[in-house]
Amino acid sequence: MYNLVRVSINENLNLLENFIHSLGQEKKSFRYFETRELSSIKNHLITYLIVDNDTPIGYGHIDFDGTIFWLGICILQNFQGRGIGRYIIRALINECKNKNIGSIYLTVDKENISAIKLYESFSFKTIDFFQDKNVYKYKLMI
């Protein structure tokens, strides 16, 4: 059974560090912490990990950059296709609804077809394409 665990600067930060260090192929499409310190989660509205037997296997957050709320998720490759991404997105969207946030955004690599299908199943809509980075920008009205 998977557990949804809240992460903050003061709570479960070691689990997040373990998750980031365990990333393999996922680093190619989940680049959030490449350019940010771990302390950047203090700007997050919410940060979650999905934990399986004390091992973090999935991550999700809603980040506020001053004007836009951004959704980010990453599921370890060996656990993809099991509904974990859907579970964490649903939890993040519910958190946004509870806080009366009207819309959230995300970016996704053009070739990440499974993630695109997942986002579109939640009614995220493509609003832009950045050819130089080969990524789509999506928006969800809540």
Side-chain angles (χ1 to χ4, degrees):
M1 182 68 180
Y2 306 122
N3 295 313
L4 186 66
V5 176
R6 190 178 288 254
V7 179
S8 71
I9 290 294
N10 302 318
E11 184 180 25
N12 298 312
L13 198 58
N14 62 322
L15 283 174
L16 179 54
E17 286 177 304
N18 292 344
F19 178 76
I20 293 167
H21 291 301
S22 72
L23 294 176
Q25 289 290 98
E26 301 85 7
K27 284 183 183 179
K28 291 180 182 177
S29 61
F30 182 71
R31 297 175 290 275
Y32 185 80
F33 287 107
E34 266 184 15
T35 58
R36 293 172 183 86
E37 297 291 324
L38 207 54
S39 62
S40 68
I41 70 166
K42 69 179 178 258
N43 298 323
H44 292 184
L45 174 70
I46 186 76
T47 307
Y48 285 133
L49 285 169
I50 299 290
V51 178
D52 180 29
N53 295 321
D54 297 324
T55 301
I57 59 170
Y59 165 88
H61 72 252
I62 299 292
D63 185 13
F64 184 63
D65 72 1
T67 57
I68 292 176
F69 290 93
W70 293 93
L71 181 143
I73 70 165
C74 179
I75 308 301
L76 294 180
Q77 192 170 17
N78 291 343
F79 294 89
Q80 293 176 9
R82 300 183 190 185
I84 298 167
R86 181 170 306 285
Y87 178 69
I88 202 162
I89 290 173
R90 190 173 293 118
L92 292 167
I93 290 172
N94 286 337
E95 192 73 34
C96 290
K97 285 179 181 177
N98 291 339
K99 301 211 183 289
N100 296 315
I101 293 169
S103 59
I104 53 177
Y105 296 78
L106 61 84
T107 57
V108 59
D109 293 349
K110 180 181 177 181
E111 56 277 337
N112 195 344
I113 303 302
S114 59
I116 289 170
K117 287 179 181 178
L118 174 64
Y119 302 141
E120 290 177 350
S121 76
F122 280 95
S123 299
F124 277 89
K125 303 293 182 209
T126 306
I127 60 169
D128 208 346
F129 178 69
F130 302 103
Q131 197 159 0
D132 60 326
K133 296 180 181 177
N134 207 31
V135 296
Y136 290 107
K137 182 178 180 181
Y138 277 79
K139 179 179 182 179
L140 176 67
M141 297 299 296
I142 301 175

